[in-house]
Amino acid sequence: SDELADFKADQIHGDWYADAVRNYRAARRPYMNIEYGYEEGVEDLPTYGVKQDWREVIRRTWLIAMGGGYVNYYYSNTAWNLFAPQPEPPGYQAMRRFYDFWQGTRYWTLTPDNTPLGDTAREGVYCRANVGVEYVVWDEPGEGFMLTVTGATAPLKATWFDPLTGESVDGGLCDNGAHAFRSPWGAGRWALLHVAAATA
């Protein structure tokens, strides 16, 4: 029975962020979108007929994560009735960067909460926060945002991360108050900002 499970899993193929937030708030238990996209094979083998470019699969992955959900990666050439992992699909490395990024956070304490973005909260910019302790902001259009830090007991270190290349750039220190952030890579590129104590 679903009521007895300690997590929830579903297959949702649209509104990925809103679905993850809704499940995060309703269930208050881990939620995994187990089937939200199918990365197209490097060699287009006769698998499931609906396939997405790897960048779209990664975009959906970040939307789910920013909504507080967990993900399950599908590569069309290693699913269903075949296993053809070579040549390596580009999504493998992007998923590895996704994993490595979250391992550097206390993701289980971060609530999907766009409140710290204030008036710059808009579609394409998402925040997960443990207010005063740690923040992750994904700026999909790369156009910048304001982040208001409250309740911090010491300055927090900001670090930019490019989810497609894995490049990271120092973003300086933040104390309590509103801070304007602009991606070091400029508009048109995805950018993540991680703000936390240096030891977090």
Side-chain angles (χ1 to χ4, degrees), residues 74-138:
Y74 264 92
Y75 175 52
S76 64
N77 287 3
T78 58
W80 302 282
N81 60 346
L82 76 160
F83 184 73
Q86 298 299 327
E88 182 178 293
Y92 274 18
Q93 288 303 314
M95 284 301 291
R96 183 67 205 197
R97 292 181 188 106
F98 170 85
Y99 171 83
D100 289 344
F101 174 84
W102 289 110
Q103 291 305 300
T105 73
R106 293 177 57 83
Y107 59 87
W108 59 94
T109 68
L110 301 176
T111 301
D113 179 7
N114 292 335
T115 306
L117 301 173
D119 292 341
T120 59
R122 61 191 186 280
E123 186 174 349
V125 183
Y126 309 96
C127 181
R128 284 183 65 173
N130 180 357
V131 172
V133 178
E134 186 174 15
Y135 304 81
V136 172
V137 179
W138 182 34

Side-chain angles (χ1 to χ4, degrees), residues 21-183:
V21 170
R22 183 172 50 253
N23 276 284
Y24 181 91
R25 291 179 178 159
R28 302 303 280 176
R29 58 183 170 168
Y31 165 69
M32 177 180 284
N33 189 338
I34 60 171
E35 195 168 330
Y36 56 90
Y38 314 93
E39 182 180 334
E40 182 177 14
V42 176
E43 297 173 338
D44 191 16
L45 301 178
T47 60
Y48 187 59
V50 178
K51 303 170 189 178
Q52 290 83 34
D53 178 79
W54 68 274
R55 291 170 196 82
E56 174 59 18
V57 174
I58 296 303
R59 187 182 78 85
R60 296 177 187 185
T61 298
W62 281 101
L63 285 168
I64 294 164
M66 292 308 297
Y70 295 85
V71 298
N72 184 47
Y73 170 62
Y74 264 92
Y75 175 52
S76 64
N77 287 3
T78 58
W80 302 282
N81 60 346
L82 76 160
F83 184 73
Q86 298 299 327
E88 182 178 293
Y92 274 18
Q93 288 303 314
M95 284 301 291
R96 183 67 205 197
R97 292 181 188 106
F98 170 85
Y99 171 83
D100 289 344
F101 174 84
W102 289 110
Q103 291 305 300
T105 73
R106 293 177 57 83
Y107 59 87
W108 59 94
T109 68
L110 301 176
T111 301
D113 179 7
N114 292 335
T115 306
L117 301 173
D119 292 341
T120 59
R122 61 191 186 280
E123 186 174 349
V125 183
Y126 309 96
C127 181
R128 284 183 65 173
N130 180 357
V131 172
V133 178
E134 186 174 15
Y135 304 81
V136 172
V137 179
W138 182 34
D139 183 359
E140 184 179 353
E143 296 174 354
F145 54 87
M146 296 289 293
L147 178 69
T148 299
V149 174
T150 56
T153 58
L156 303 177
K157 177 176 171 45
T159 306
W160 288 100
F161 177 76
D162 182 321
L164 297 183
T165 68
E167 181 184 1
S168 62
V169 175
D170 183 7
L173 294 176
C174 310
D175 51 12
N176 290 318
H179 304 271
F181 285 101
R182 284 251 174 224
S183 164

